[in-house]
Amino acid sequence: MTDVKIVVDSSADLLSMDGISFASAPLKIHAEDKRFVDNAELDVVGMVEFLYSYKGKSSTSCPNTEDWLSAFGDAERIFCITITSNLSGSYNAARVAKDEYEAKYPGRKIELIDSYSTGPEMALMAEKIRELAMAERSFEEISEYMKGYKTELLFVLESMKNLANNGRVSKIAATLAGFLGIRAVGRASDVGTLEMLGKFRGTPATITAVTGYMRDMSYSGGRVIISHCLNEKCAEELRDAIRHLYPSADISVRECRGLCSFYAERGGFLVGFETA
Ligand code: X90
């Protein structure tokens, strides 16, 4: 197996990866007198319940250069994947850390990937890198392959309050969600911002819309990862609906960690998928 390390920020919802060197750099979630570090120790359910009843100001912050350097550790070859640079400073901090690391240790190399997305789409990228490393592909071959690896992200949100309050979507877009029983569906745009697609009432209509958007976005039966925030039921219904249409699809359902839970909010879910 090719000796590479995979490093992501915590928006990828990954705590570990089997059979490969791995680290996650935490984002942080801030309330007035509380701070949640998005690492393996975070009680995500406790945080979501706290935020649900909390009426004060809350925000997030990205990993700093030190966080990234400590995630890089002492690896010789690293693939580093960040949340979209158009909504977070994570990519910039990772770039500063990469430059410092490569200058300090000549010969070491970091391939930095701006996902222009987050959550399960980042997890798909990380898993593809792991698969190629397991298959003995060289660092350069993996870098080359990843330039053509095509994936997309859809999201389904019951509330966009935290996104709007933190300036990640317009207040107008945020009004798409937030009415009882109404869910807003959108996608990560090509430049890594939120692009709203429509609003739907009830689970069956939402699931039909999501599988329809997936097809329109050239999904044809590849790998899918669904991350949900306290909404396993919907995530599993979506998984079953996709499986019904594409019987051989490889689909996994996971829980959002801290950062994605903060923005997706209770009931929200994200769908990352490979495209043709
Ligand atoms: O640096 C920071 O503080 C992090 C800011 C992150 C802002 C957006 C996170 C979105 C999380 C919500 C739906 C998916 C949106 C996909 C857009 C590319 C999840």
Side-chain angles (χ1 to χ4, degrees):
M1 151 152 156
T2 309
D3 193 16
V4 299
K5 181 171 190 176
I6 298 176
V7 177
V8 298
D9 63 46
S10 64
S11 74
D13 300 320
L14 285 170
L15 294 176
S16 63
M17 292 191 88
D18 284 344
I20 195 159
S21 171
F22 172 83
S24 168
L27 287 105
K28 283 133 211 137
I29 295 94
H30 311 265
E32 261 144 37
D33 48 8
K34 252 188 197 306
R35 188 176 97 120
F36 303 92
V37 180
D38 190 13
N39 59 21
E41 282 77 57
L42 176 67
D43 167 15
V44 176
V45 176
M47 183 194 86
V48 173
E49 309 262 292
F50 165 83
L51 290 167
Y52 193 70
S53 52
Y54 171 74
K55 295 285 167 272
K57 280 209 170 78
S58 54
S59 62
T60 59
S61 60
C62 65
N64 57 33
T65 305
E66 286 308 309
D67 295 325
W68 280 116
L69 286 171
S70 102
F72 296 159
D74 58 3
E76 294 287 329
R77 292 283 178 277
I78 298 172
F79 285 96
C80 175
I81 313 171
T82 74
I83 187 172
T84 168
S85 61
N86 275 320
L87 295 177
S88 170
S90 188
Y91 176 84
N92 263 317
R95 197 177 50 195
V96 173
K98 165 187 152 79
D99 291 348
E100 231 175 79
Y101 192 81
E102 289 176 342
K104 189 163 168 202
Y105 306 106
R108 294 192 186 175
K109 263 191 91 56
I110 299 176
E111 175 78 8
L112 184 56
I113 303 176
D114 182 344
S115 69
Y116 291 107
S117 183
T118 189
E121 190 175 354
M122 286 171 69
L124 282 173
M125 294 173 181
E127 282 183 10
K128 180 53 78 179
I129 292 168
R130 172 176 164 274
E131 182 187 306
L132 295 169
M134 296 285 211
E136 313 284 346
R137 304 282 286 272
S138 70
F139 182 76
E140 290 70 26
E141 283 172 331
I142 301 173
S143 308
E144 213 31 58
Y145 186 96
M146 291 311 290
K147 293 191 172 85
Y149 183 55
K150 291 209 192 82
T151 49
E152 297 276 359
L153 183 83
L154 283 165
F155 54 84
V156 177
L157 304 173
E158 291 183 8
S159 163
M160 294 171 67
K161 190 181 73 170
N162 286 341
L163 281 163
N165 286 345
N166 286 286
R168 262 71 185 202
V169 289
S170 71
K171 301 262 178 201
I172 296 165
T175 59
L176 276 180
F179 296 98
L180 204 62
I182 300 290
R183 294 195 179 96
V185 178
R187 60 179 288 217
S189 73
D190 295 343
V191 293
T193 51
L194 281 87
E195 180 180 327
M196 303 316 297
L197 295 170
K199 56 179 179 178
F200 301 88
R201 183 184 293 277
T203 302
T206 307
I207 286 177
T208 306
V210 170
T211 55
Y213 288 129
M214 286 174 74
R215 188 197 51 229
D216 296 349
M217 289 160 76
S218 311
Y219 176 70
S220 58
R223 211 179 269 176
V224 182
I225 302 176
I226 306 169
S227 297
H228 67 90
C229 178
L230 306 193
N231 198 357
E232 193 170 19
K233 189 171 167 287
C234 248
E236 287 180 346
E237 281 181 44
L238 174 62
R239 178 198 58 200
D240 295 344
I242 298 169
R243 217 169 251 164
H244 183 74
L245 295 165
Y246 307 90
S248 63
D250 166 4
I251 312 168
S252 63
V253 172
R254 303 178 182 179
E255 286 164 10
C256 291
R257 297 296 304 165
L259 190 277
C260 285
S261 291
F262 176 81
Y263 287 106
E265 301 187 46
R266 190 204 286 241
F269 56 95
L270 282 69
V271 190
F273 51 97
E274 294 180 333
T275 58

